Amino acid sequence: MTYIKRAAEEPVRQVSKMFPVLLLTGPRQVGKTTLLQRLAEEEKKEGIDRKYVTLDDPDVRFLAKRDPALFLQRFSPPVLIDEIQYATELLPYIKMSVDKSKNKGDFWITGSQVFRLMKNVSESLAGRVGIVNLLGLSDSEIYQEPSEPFTTDAANLMKRLSVRNSKNLNEIYDRIFRGSMPELYADSNVDWETYYRSYVDTYLQRDIRDLAQVADEMQFYNFMTVVAAHTSKPVVYEELANATGISAPTAKKWLSILVSSHIVALVQPYHNNALKRVVKMPLLHFLDTGLAAYLLKWGNPEALERGAMSGAFFESYVFSEIYKSYLNAGKEPPIFYYRDKDKKEIDLLLYQNGVLSPIEIKKSASPGKAAIKNFKVLEPALKVEIGTGSVVCMANNLLPVDDKNWYVPVWLI
């Protein structure tokens, strides 16, 4: 199967040189193990022979849980341990090992079930572990174009024009429909529907079944479908609960599982003391539009593009691309959104170095100046500089709206 070069390779290398333990987290099947095995092959050229072991193997997992000390004698560092969440008993012993050796990059570990893992990691490996989050493929990885964190700066966007290739509406929705899973791009024989059906079954049976708070897998599957239907909308737990037939506290708990699993992301509202009328609800985005399309039974890209959720999927796709552009650089995404009690909205806000940059997302080739009408609500945001604004849309070229804002083609993000 073809290896797709990942934008996160360099951050992983850097973290491995800074910490004795590297933890690579992310959803199932996004290529965590493949990436680390690729980098381990590179290490061999430097004379480093890193062992590989997966805790998916029941015999290996039994040894790790029953006798962690003996396990680490058998699989001594440098080592890559896959699916560490299945034997968190190893973590205190990893701590003792790295405290004794002081070697950077001794342990590379991966984990999919972040909701089980992070508490144990923070307790056992505080100060010793560097964490990198990996999601599905970004456009820059699929098309092998340079990747860097997205900014609204016009000069930076002009530079991107020389390294990005334009794409039309059909190409964009083919990409949105297919989603971000590496296997769908690395192997042309993989059937889309079969792949996502297997993915959901594995997620429900391997991850969700392990959690005491989820007693009914089918009800949780229905909840995932309801959440997919609410992508790019503010979170109202009562709505999610009523649509699924569960209580609002259960909906909140289950949504936190989807967030911890990197299935969805919640975007927090931006507010300060000068913005009195801002709502406090987070905004929900499904991170893999292909998985959302599967759950909602969209059969092909054309039906999705013409359907009632076309705009919502477009927004979530744009969000996920911007979100991944930061994660792939090893940075925390500085992303917020704005919505006030008068229902004035700004889809995304980037807040960096004291500058707030508004982004509106429109599935239109010519959105017009009306697209930026809500940007002026930020003017009362005292002590915060308002930066260049972007209208991410289906325009054919990068063009100014006015002296402060630009139409940005979606393929340029």
Side-chain angles (χ1 to χ4, degrees), residues 96-308:
M96 289 187 284
S97 175
V98 300
D99 285 352
K100 184 177 180 180
S101 73
K102 310 291 186 185
N103 293 331
K104 308 296 186 187
D106 258 0
F107 290 88
W108 290 357
I109 58 180
T110 74
S112 301
Q113 295 180 6
V114 182
F115 39 77
R116 298 183 66 187
L117 184 58
M118 294 312 294
K119 183 173 183 291
N120 292 297
V121 167
S122 60
E123 290 175 354
S124 302
L125 298 175
R128 301 165 181 85
V129 61
I131 301 172
V132 178
N133 296 308
L134 187 71
L135 296 181
L137 296 174
S138 65
D139 278 5
S140 62
E141 292 170 320
I142 292 169
Y143 305 117
Q144 291 296 287
E145 297 168 345
S147 176
E148 61 180 17
F150 177 81
T151 71
T152 60
D153 177 68
N156 188 58
L157 290 170
M158 287 181 186
K159 290 179 184 175
R160 284 184 179 234
L161 286 171
S162 64
V163 295
R164 293 294 177 104
N165 294 310
S166 65
K167 295 165 188 70
N168 62 34
L169 182 68
N170 291 337
E171 290 171 315
I172 293 295
Y173 271 86
D174 280 344
R175 163 74 178 86
I176 291 173
F177 178 79
R178 183 177 290 193
S180 304
M181 292 301 179
E183 195 170 342
L184 293 171
Y185 295 88
D187 187 348
S188 59
N189 295 317
V190 176
D191 177 71
W192 179 88
E193 185 174 355
T194 303
Y195 176 86
Y196 276 113
R197 184 189 309 120
S198 172
Y199 184 91
V200 170
D201 287 347
T202 301
Y203 176 67
L204 293 173
Q205 293 171 12
R206 295 287 297 279
D207 293 348
I208 299 307
R209 184 181 289 175
D210 291 342
L211 298 172
Q213 59 263 57
V214 180
D216 187 334
E217 290 173 22
M218 278 312 300
Q219 197 168 37
F220 191 86
Y221 172 83
N222 292 336
F223 177 75
M224 285 177 65
T225 302
V226 169
V227 170
H230 282 75
T231 193
S232 82
K233 293 182 179 179
V235 175
V236 180
Y237 292 108
E238 289 76 11
E239 284 185 12
L240 300 177
N242 292 337
T244 317
I246 57 178
S247 67
T250 298
K252 189 171 185 178
K253 188 182 297 181
W254 285 6
L255 188 63
S256 73
I257 292 172
L258 292 177
V259 171
S260 298
S261 310
H262 302 289
I263 301 294
V264 304
L266 297 184
V267 187
Q268 297 303 320
Y270 177 83
H271 61 89
N272 65 19
N273 292 334
L275 297 169
K276 302 290 188 183
R277 297 177 57 77
V278 175
V279 300
K280 301 298 193 292
M281 297 178 294
L283 189 70
L284 182 157
H285 281 291
F286 234 77
L287 286 169
D288 189 314
T289 50
L291 176 58
Y294 168 77
L295 289 169
L296 295 172
K297 301 296 185 282
W298 292 104
N300 55 65
E302 295 76 22
L304 177 60
E305 189 274 319
R306 294 192 302 266

Side-chain angles (χ1 to χ4, degrees), residues 154 358 368-373 375-376 379 387-391 399-407:
K369 284 195 174 184
I372 63 170
K373 69 178 186 296
F375 288 3
K376 64 179 180 291
E379 291 170 6
T388 304
S390 290
V391 180
L399 296 169
V401 183
D402 54 27
D403 61 348
K404 190 80 172 178
N405 304 286
W406 291 74
Y407 296 120

Side-chain angles (χ1 to χ4, degrees), residues 150-158 160 318 322 345-350 356-362 367-373 375 378 386-393 398-402 404-410 412-413:
F150 177 81
T151 71
T152 60
D153 177 68
N156 188 58
L157 290 170
M158 287 181 186
R160 284 184 179 234
V318 170
I322 295 174
E345 297 182 32
I346 300 173
D347 293 326
L348 297 177
L349 297 167
L350 298 182
L356 199 61
S357 303
I359 300 173
E360 193 67 18
I361 304 168
K362 296 291 184 187
K369 284 195 174 184
I372 63 170
K373 69 178 186 296
F375 288 3
L378 300 175
I386 308 303
T388 304
S390 290
V391 180
V392 178
C393 57
L398 177 67
L399 296 169
V401 183
D402 54 27
K404 190 80 172 178
N405 304 286
W406 291 74
Y407 296 120
V408 179
V410 64
L412 203 58
I413 61 173

